[in-house]
Amino acid sequence: MQSMRRPLLIDSHAHLDSPRYAGDREAMLLRAREAGIGAVLSIGIGEGPAEMHQALDICREFNGRPGLPRLYASAGIYPHNTPEADAAALTKLDALLAEPEVIACGEIGLDYYHEGAPREVQRTGLIRQLEIAAARKRPILIHCRGTNESTDAWDDVFLILDEFWGRTGLGGIMHCFGGGWDQARRSLDLGFLVSFAGNLTYPKAQPLRDVAARMPLDGILVETDAPWLAPAPHRGERNEPALVAQTAEVLAGLLKATPDEIAVATTANFLRMFHLKPDVGN
Ligand SMILES: [Zn+2]
């Protein structure tokens, strides 16, 4: 029997340091590789700056073990944690971004929906981190969520990115994208990739699916945002990188592409953004 080698997917956003994986992290990563996931970007925000290094620690613990996806890390201060973005935290972020495995700064951004920190504090915290990421030449991972039915957070994010980020040419990822077409188009214009998560599969997400259906193949990524946002039919369960294939399949249907074409495109996009060699899964 001929073995069929299918192109590998990359989960561009997973919180592998979540305590919800404490009991089975290696088994969870083995399942991911068996499901065709060649690499995972492990998000280094923890529960605040004190835990920003945990994603890097996980990379170093698991990279090189057989049968697992290749792991990369990020580091950043989440919008809710920006009140903790003091000089020590920013120094720690800068040191983490200097590490070769830490390929991105994030997730950073603005969250006016939960408003876990005052908006002005969020904006200042974002700008400080953009300055550090620019100096370290690391693309950024943007979390952006506005108040209901409003583009308030998006409008502020684009104001800040236009002023402080566009000229760096470093680009980034709009993680767990939830905006409209206008926000998607502006993201692409800024050199960003737009990453779709499990919420793309939810019944009420038709407006998001309509946006996804208009995306160019060279502008998309898929992610889990695990342990949150498990795609249908696993909604409500603990999410994990293996399940990113479900989101890729829905995206394939919307873009009238095959799942393999989505895997090829999203993996190429990820590798291009971070200037990585195409060796994932080898
Ligand atoms: Zn996240």
Side-chain angles (χ1 to χ4, degrees), residues 19 40 57 61 86 96 106 125-126 142 147 158 185 188 212 217 223 231 241 250 254 258 272 280:
V40 181
D57 289 353
E61 183 179 353
D86 56 13
L96 283 167
L126 172 59
I142 289 288
T147 50
F158 284 121
R185 187 190 47 75
L188 295 171
L217 275 181
E223 65 171 77
V250 169
L254 293 167
T258 65
R272 186 179 72 246
V280 294

mmCIF file of all heavy atoms in Angstrom, residues 19 40 57 61 86 96 106 125-126 142 147 158 185 188 212 217 223 231 241 250 254 258 272 280:
data_model
loop_
_atom_site.group_PDB
_atom_site.id
_atom_site.type_symbol
_atom_site.label_atom_id
_atom_site.label_comp_id
_atom_site.label_asym_id
_atom_site.label_seq_id
_atom_site.Cartn_x
_atom_site.Cartn_y
_atom_site.Cartn_z
ATOM 1 N N PRO A 19 -2.302 25.483 32.528
ATOM 2 C CA PRO A 19 -2.314 24.402 33.526
ATOM 3 C C PRO A 19 -3.264 23.271 33.140
ATOM 4 O O PRO A 19 -3.139 22.158 33.658
ATOM 5 C CB PRO A 19 -2.768 25.094 34.823
ATOM 6 C CG PRO A 19 -3.100 26.496 34.480
ATOM 7 C CD PRO A 19 -2.630 26.796 33.090
ATOM 8 N N VAL A 40 3.675 24.319 16.116
ATOM 9 C CA VAL A 40 2.742 25.072 16.960
ATOM 10 C C VAL A 40 3.482 26.295 17.494
ATOM 11 O O VAL A 40 4.628 26.183 17.946
ATOM 12 C CB VAL A 40 2.239 24.223 18.158
ATOM 13 C CG1 VAL A 40 1.239 25.027 18.999
ATOM 14 C CG2 VAL A 40 1.613 22.909 17.692
ATOM 15 N N ASP A 57 10.007 27.959 27.850
ATOM 16 C CA ASP A 57 10.398 26.760 28.618
ATOM 17 C C ASP A 57 9.826 25.501 27.977
ATOM 18 O O ASP A 57 10.501 24.467 27.897
ATOM 19 C CB ASP A 57 9.894 26.864 30.060
ATOM 20 C CG ASP A 57 10.651 27.900 30.876
ATOM 21 O OD1 ASP A 57 11.649 28.440 30.362
ATOM 22 O OD2 ASP A 57 10.238 28.171 32.029
ATOM 23 N N GLU A 61 11.708 22.276 26.453
ATOM 24 C CA GLU A 61 11.470 20.963 27.047
ATOM 25 C C GLU A 61 11.144 19.919 25.974
ATOM 26 O O GLU A 61 11.604 18.783 26.053
ATOM 27 C CB GLU A 61 10.315 21.063 28.057
ATOM 28 C CG GLU A 61 10.026 19.754 28.781
ATOM 29 C CD GLU A 61 8.893 19.884 29.799
ATOM 30 O OE1 GLU A 61 8.415 21.024 30.038
ATOM 31 O OE2 GLU A 61 8.486 18.842 30.337
ATOM 32 N N ASP A 86 5.453 47.103 33.919
ATOM 33 C CA ASP A 86 6.418 48.057 34.473
ATOM 34 C C ASP A 86 7.790 47.831 33.839
ATOM 35 O O ASP A 86 7.945 46.995 32.943
ATOM 36 C CB ASP A 86 6.470 47.924 36.002
ATOM 37 C CG ASP A 86 6.804 46.500 36.444
ATOM 38 O OD1 ASP A 86 7.227 45.672 35.589
ATOM 39 O OD2 ASP A 86 6.628 46.204 37.636
ATOM 40 N N LEU A 96 13.409 38.057 26.528
ATOM 41 C CA LEU A 96 12.788 36.870 25.916
ATOM 42 C C LEU A 96 12.798 36.978 24.394
ATOM 43 O O LEU A 96 13.065 35.999 23.688
ATOM 44 C CB LEU A 96 11.364 36.693 26.430
ATOM 45 C CG LEU A 96 11.239 36.111 27.850
ATOM 46 C CD1 LEU A 96 9.822 36.286 28.381
ATOM 47 C CD2 LEU A 96 11.644 34.629 27.869
ATOM 48 N N GLY A 106 3.733 38.728 21.507
ATOM 49 C CA GLY A 106 2.280 38.689 21.638
ATOM 50 C C GLY A 106 1.820 37.589 22.559
ATOM 51 O O GLY A 106 2.635 36.821 23.072
ATOM 52 N N GLY A 125 0.522 50.374 27.101
ATOM 53 C CA GLY A 125 1.215 49.085 27.191
ATOM 54 C C GLY A 125 1.488 48.499 25.814
ATOM 55 O O GLY A 125 2.555 47.915 25.576
ATOM 56 N N LEU A 126 0.532 48.666 24.916
ATOM 57 C CA LEU A 126 0.722 48.181 23.548
ATOM 58 C C LEU A 126 1.873 48.917 22.862
ATOM 59 O O LEU A 126 2.762 48.304 22.263
ATOM 60 C CB LEU A 126 -0.583 48.351 22.754
ATOM 61 C CG LEU A 126 -0.513 48.083 21.252
ATOM 62 C CD1 LEU A 126 -0.046 46.659 20.965
ATOM 63 C CD2 LEU A 126 -1.879 48.333 20.603
ATOM 64 N N ILE A 142 -1.531 40.252 17.340
ATOM 65 C CA ILE A 142 -2.496 41.225 17.861
ATOM 66 C C ILE A 142 -3.787 40.545 18.300
ATOM 67 O O ILE A 142 -4.405 39.783 17.547
ATOM 68 C CB ILE A 142 -2.803 42.299 16.794
ATOM 69 C CG1 ILE A 142 -1.592 43.217 16.594
ATOM 70 C CG2 ILE A 142 -4.048 43.110 17.175
ATOM 71 C CD1 ILE A 142 -1.321 44.179 17.742
ATOM 72 N N THR A 147 -16.106 46.594 21.909
ATOM 73 C CA THR A 147 -17.397 46.429 22.566
ATOM 74 C C THR A 147 -18.401 45.967 21.511
ATOM 75 O O THR A 147 -18.161 46.082 20.310
ATOM 76 C CB THR A 147 -17.861 47.756 23.205
ATOM 77 O OG1 THR A 147 -17.750 48.780 22.218
ATOM 78 C CG2 THR A 147 -16.992 48.127 24.383
ATOM 79 N N PHE A 158 -5.644 50.239 14.759
ATOM 80 C CA PHE A 158 -5.077 50.678 13.479
ATOM 81 C C PHE A 158 -4.409 52.052 13.601
ATOM 82 O O PHE A 158 -3.388 52.299 12.949
ATOM 83 C CB PHE A 158 -6.146 50.676 12.381
ATOM 84 C CG PHE A 158 -6.461 49.288 11.888
ATOM 85 C CD1 PHE A 158 -7.752 48.783 11.967
ATOM 86 C CD2 PHE A 158 -5.471 48.480 11.361
ATOM 87 C CE1 PHE A 158 -8.042 47.500 11.524
ATOM 88 C CE2 PHE A 158 -5.742 47.190 10.914
ATOM 89 C CZ PHE A 158 -7.031 46.702 10.997
ATOM 90 N N ARG A 185 -9.097 43.771 5.397
ATOM 91 C CA ARG A 185 -8.383 44.420 4.297
ATOM 92 C C ARG A 185 -7.275 45.339 4.828
ATOM 93 O O ARG A 185 -6.154 45.339 4.324
ATOM 94 C CB ARG A 185 -9.376 45.228 3.448
ATOM 95 C CG ARG A 185 -8.807 45.812 2.181
ATOM 96 C CD ARG A 185 -9.781 46.786 1.534
ATOM 97 N NE ARG A 185 -10.345 47.732 2.501
ATOM 98 C CZ ARG A 185 -9.676 48.778 3.006
ATOM 99 N NH1 ARG A 185 -8.448 49.028 2.633
ATOM 100 N NH2 ARG A 185 -10.254 49.581 3.884
ATOM 101 N N LEU A 188 -4.337 43.225 5.932
ATOM 102 C CA LEU A 188 -3.532 42.771 4.792
ATOM 103 C C LEU A 188 -2.677 43.921 4.259
ATOM 104 O O LEU A 188 -1.501 43.738 3.934
ATOM 105 C CB LEU A 188 -4.432 42.214 3.689
ATOM 106 C CG LEU A 188 -5.232 40.949 4.035
ATOM 107 C CD1 LEU A 188 -6.241 40.647 2.924
ATOM 108 C CD2 LEU A 188 -4.307 39.757 4.257
ATOM 109 N N ALA A 212 -14.113 35.472 5.729
ATOM 110 C CA ALA A 212 -13.098 34.457 5.402
ATOM 111 C C ALA A 212 -13.178 34.058 3.928
ATOM 112 O O ALA A 212 -12.156 33.832 3.278
ATOM 113 C CB ALA A 212 -13.268 33.234 6.300
ATOM 114 N N LEU A 217 -5.509 33.550 -0.491
ATOM 115 C CA LEU A 217 -4.820 32.403 0.110
ATOM 116 C C LEU A 217 -3.493 32.787 0.766
ATOM 117 O O LEU A 217 -3.051 32.137 1.704
ATOM 118 C CB LEU A 217 -4.568 31.316 -0.943
ATOM 119 C CG LEU A 217 -5.697 30.329 -1.223
ATOM 120 C CD1 LEU A 217 -5.241 29.320 -2.267
ATOM 121 C CD2 LEU A 217 -6.183 29.620 0.034
ATOM 122 N N GLU A 223 -5.547 28.649 13.551
ATOM 123 C CA GLU A 223 -5.061 28.520 14.925
ATOM 124 C C GLU A 223 -6.150 27.873 15.773
ATOM 125 O O GLU A 223 -7.326 27.837 15.380
ATOM 126 C CB GLU A 223 -4.746 29.898 15.496
ATOM 127 C CG GLU A 223 -5.993 30.781 15.636
ATOM 128 C CD GLU A 223 -5.742 32.067 16.402
ATOM 129 O OE1 GLU A 223 -5.157 32.991 15.805
ATOM 130 O OE2 GLU A 223 -6.129 32.146 17.581
ATOM 131 N N PRO A 231 -13.226 24.005 18.118
ATOM 132 C CA PRO A 231 -14.129 24.072 16.964
ATOM 133 C C PRO A 231 -15.243 23.034 17.072
ATOM 134 O O PRO A 231 -15.094 22.023 17.770
ATOM 135 C CB PRO A 231 -13.209 23.759 15.778
ATOM 136 C CG PRO A 231 -12.077 22.983 16.354
ATOM 137 C CD PRO A 231 -11.902 23.462 17.769
ATOM 138 N N PRO A 241 -4.115 21.547 19.881
ATOM 139 C CA PRO A 241 -3.660 21.802 18.503
ATOM 140 C C PRO A 241 -4.150 20.795 17.472
ATOM 141 O O PRO A 241 -4.376 21.178 16.311
ATOM 142 C CB PRO A 241 -2.131 21.790 18.641
ATOM 143 C CG PRO A 241 -1.906 22.330 20.023
ATOM 144 C CD PRO A 241 -3.007 21.729 20.860
ATOM 145 N N VAL A 250 -13.155 23.834 7.476
ATOM 146 C CA VAL A 250 -14.227 24.813 7.247
ATOM 147 C C VAL A 250 -13.723 25.949 6.358
ATOM 148 O O VAL A 250 -14.403 26.377 5.412
ATOM 149 C CB VAL A 250 -14.763 25.348 8.593
ATOM 150 C CG1 VAL A 250 -15.671 26.557 8.391
ATOM 151 C CG2 VAL A 250 -15.500 24.231 9.334
ATOM 152 N N LEU A 254 -15.016 27.357 2.579
ATOM 153 C CA LEU A 254 -15.362 28.750 2.294
ATOM 154 C C LEU A 254 -14.567 29.292 1.117
ATOM 155 O O LEU A 254 -15.068 30.105 0.335
ATOM 156 C CB LEU A 254 -15.100 29.618 3.534
ATOM 157 C CG LEU A 254 -16.002 29.326 4.731
ATOM 158 C CD1 LEU A 254 -15.456 30.003 5.981
ATOM 159 C CD2 LEU A 254 -17.424 29.787 4.449
ATOM 160 N N THR A 258 -9.104 22.783 -1.397
ATOM 161 C CA THR A 258 -9.053 21.513 -0.674
ATOM 162 C C THR A 258 -8.346 21.743 0.661
ATOM 163 O O THR A 258 -7.562 22.694 0.808
ATOM 164 C CB THR A 258 -8.256 20.465 -1.467
ATOM 165 O OG1 THR A 258 -6.886 20.916 -1.544
ATOM 166 C CG2 THR A 258 -8.820 20.274 -2.871
ATOM 167 N N ARG A 272 6.920 32.234 5.900
ATOM 168 C CA ARG A 272 7.342 33.486 5.274
ATOM 169 C C ARG A 272 7.342 34.628 6.295
ATOM 170 O O ARG A 272 8.286 35.419 6.368
ATOM 171 C CB ARG A 272 6.390 33.806 4.112
ATOM 172 C CG ARG A 272 6.782 34.998 3.270
ATOM 173 C CD ARG A 272 5.791 35.216 2.129
ATOM 174 N NE ARG A 272 4.510 35.722 2.574
ATOM 175 C CZ ARG A 272 3.343 35.072 2.504
ATOM 176 N NH1 ARG A 272 3.281 33.864 1.980
ATOM 177 N NH2 ARG A 272 2.229 35.620 2.944
ATOM 178 N N VAL A 280 9.423 22.162 8.961
ATOM 179 C CA VAL A 280 8.494 21.705 9.983
ATOM 180 C C VAL A 280 8.031 20.287 9.672
ATOM 181 O O VAL A 280 7.745 19.951 8.544
ATOM 182 C CB VAL A 280 7.262 22.631 10.140
ATOM 183 C CG1 VAL A 280 7.697 23.980 10.665
ATOM 184 C CG2 VAL A 280 6.492 22.772 8.862
#
